[in-house]
Amino acid sequence: MTTHVRHLRGLTIATAVMLTVSLALVFFYAPLDAEQGFIQKIFYIHVPLAIVSLVGFTLGGAFAVAYLRTGNRVWDMRSYCVIHMSLIFSVGGLLAGSIWAKASWGHWWVWSEPTLVSYLIVILLFCTYQPLRFSIEDPERQSRYAAVFAIVCGAFVPINFIVVRLSTQFLHPRVLNLEGGNLPNSMKLAFYTSLLAIALLFATLMRYEMAAKETRIETRRLRRRLLGDDALRPLGRSAAPQ
Amino acid sequence: MITFFAQAPALPLHAAGKYVAGAYIVFILMLIVYVGIMARRLHTNQREIQELKLLLEQRERQELAAQQPVPDSEQVA
């Protein structure tokens, strides 16, 4: 059993329970927002998706550092999977945010809003990660170049976040800060539960992704041992670590 | 649980309802699509492992048959 398959069942159950609890808290416990009313419920899905995806991108950079330091391909696989998963979550966050913008501002997208535009830039930046990998045929070089890219872009994420927070325009609602924000306790509970649920979902899906990739590699190895190199279908060019 | 739902506020699903539903449905749809892709990958993996298992069994049978001594023609006579 590989390291990523271990505890997978427990993690899956915990994720399902947390998601159910968070949805119950959001819709049946947290009060309606005085200003925005029911639309504010999107906050509990949009913000956790955005936070988890941004942390994921940064984590991708950290895993890439570990790969360059150790040369262990597991770290490259982790970096690839975490960035892949973060991209999916960020698209979810972007769509949820866009729906919220339409409902409360009357527009699907506001180009003059730094938080939105900077988030889009981060997503577009990481969208080039997979094509970059795909363009390099040699697996060793592919991993190395991708690691450098992941580190540079991963470092860009917190810098970008801080710069946007320091900017003067405050059209985007600021409900969280280091002092705990201006949310009432019932909303805070629902929000942090949602954040934990989405983080758990991210961890679970990432482990599934890793386990699937490892199984694929193991099967290929087994086929080679059993039938020799000639029986293996030639590997096509792939963005994923092989 | 019943007490919890009894005390829960009624959900105002008038104008804002479709937007909130839209945001959550997008999230759930993405999750379903992802799980579907994972299930397809798992199916391919299982099929490949099954194929390898059959090949291994076939090879073991052939090896066993090759190891068994051929009956001597004189003894048979």
Side-chain angles (χ1 to χ4, degrees):
Chain A
M1 195 189 282
T2 62
T3 47
H4 297 98
V5 178
R6 228 174 285 151
H7 311 305
L8 207 48
R9 182 178 290 182
L11 199 61
T12 309
I13 294 168
T15 304
V17 170
M18 279 310 288
L19 277 174
T20 314
V21 170
S22 76
L23 284 174
L25 286 175
V26 166
F27 287 105
F28 300 110
Y29 175 70
L32 288 181
D33 185 70
E35 264 180 50
Q36 296 204 28
F38 191 57
I39 293 167
Q40 188 262 352
K41 299 285 181 196
I42 299 175
F43 160 79
Y44 299 104
I45 187 86
H46 162 65
V47 180
L49 280 173
I51 291 176
V52 168
S53 63
L54 289 177
V55 171
F57 286 137
T58 314
L59 217 56
F63 289 160
V65 171
Y67 169 69
L68 288 184
R69 279 176 66 94
T70 62
N72 188 344
R73 294 186 68 82
V74 174
W75 289 112
D76 179 44
M77 179 80 87
R78 281 186 187 143
S79 180
Y80 172 82
C81 286
V82 84
I83 289 172
H84 174 80
M85 205 55 66
S86 297
L87 263 178
I88 297 172
F89 274 57
S90 63
V91 170
L94 199 71
L95 289 174
S98 195
I99 294 170
W100 193 9
K102 175 69 181 166
S104 62
W105 300 335
H107 300 282
W108 293 105
W109 190 260
V110 181
W111 285 106
S112 56
E113 219 289 288
T115 314
L116 289 184
V117 178
S118 68
Y119 188 52
L120 182 68
I121 290 170
V122 169
I123 294 174
L124 290 177
L125 195 62
F126 276 95
C127 276
T128 59
Y129 176 76
Q130 299 222 358
L132 169 83
R133 290 194 74 115
F134 191 79
S135 67
I136 304 166
E137 209 164 355
D138 176 36
E140 207 56 49
R141 274 179 61 209
Q142 183 192 66
S143 304
R144 227 176 28 244
Y145 288 13
V148 174
F149 180 88
I151 293 166
V152 174
C153 295
F156 173 72
V157 173
I159 294 169
N160 181 58
F161 179 79
I162 293 163
V163 167
V164 170
R165 285 294 270 216
L166 292 175
S167 72
T168 50
Q169 209 169 339
F170 287 110
L171 175 64
H172 206 90
R174 302 273 172 221
V175 286
L176 290 171
N177 56 36
L178 290 175
E179 287 81 43
N182 53 9
L183 283 176
N185 284 338
S186 50
M187 282 187 177
K188 231 182 250 178
L189 176 69
F191 171 72
Y192 286 122
T193 313
S194 293
L195 185 60
L196 185 64
I198 297 292
L200 272 174
L201 180 70
F202 185 92
T204 309
L205 292 183
M206 182 174 151
R207 269 180 180 252
Y208 270 111
E209 184 82 34
M210 289 286 299
K213 291 232 180 314
E214 278 176 358
T215 312
R216 182 94 196 93
I217 291 169
E218 262 325 293
T219 314
R220 209 174 155 75
R221 205 170 287 159
L222 207 63
R223 184 178 280 272
R224 184 180 287 127
R225 274 181 63 187
L226 205 62
L227 303 166
D229 283 336
D230 298 339
L232 282 178
R233 283 178 225 113
L235 274 177
R237 189 183 277 204
S238 168
Q242 289 161 13
Chain B
M1 199 64 160
I2 295 165
T3 326
F4 176 77
F5 281 110
Q7 285 182 349
L11 296 177
L13 296 169
H14 42 85
K18 61 179 181 185
Y19 290 110
V20 177
Y24 280 86
I25 285 169
V26 162
F27 170 68
I28 290 164
L29 271 181
M30 283 183 75
L31 210 62
I32 290 171
V33 168
Y34 183 78
V35 171
I37 292 168
M38 286 299 287
R40 223 183 111 201
R41 266 196 235 162
L42 182 71
H43 178 72
T44 315
N45 256 335
Q46 276 176 337
R47 206 181 50 202
E48 203 163 334
I49 287 171
Q50 198 61 35
E51 206 179 295
L52 285 176
K53 215 170 133 185
L54 279 174
L55 275 168
L56 188 67
E57 279 169 7
Q58 202 178 352
R59 182 180 282 192
E60 276 173 355
R61 269 202 304 273
Q62 280 173 355
E63 278 175 3
L64 209 68
Q67 276 172 7
Q68 274 176 358
V70 183
D72 200 355
S73 55
E74 283 177 22
Q75 275 179 351
V76 173

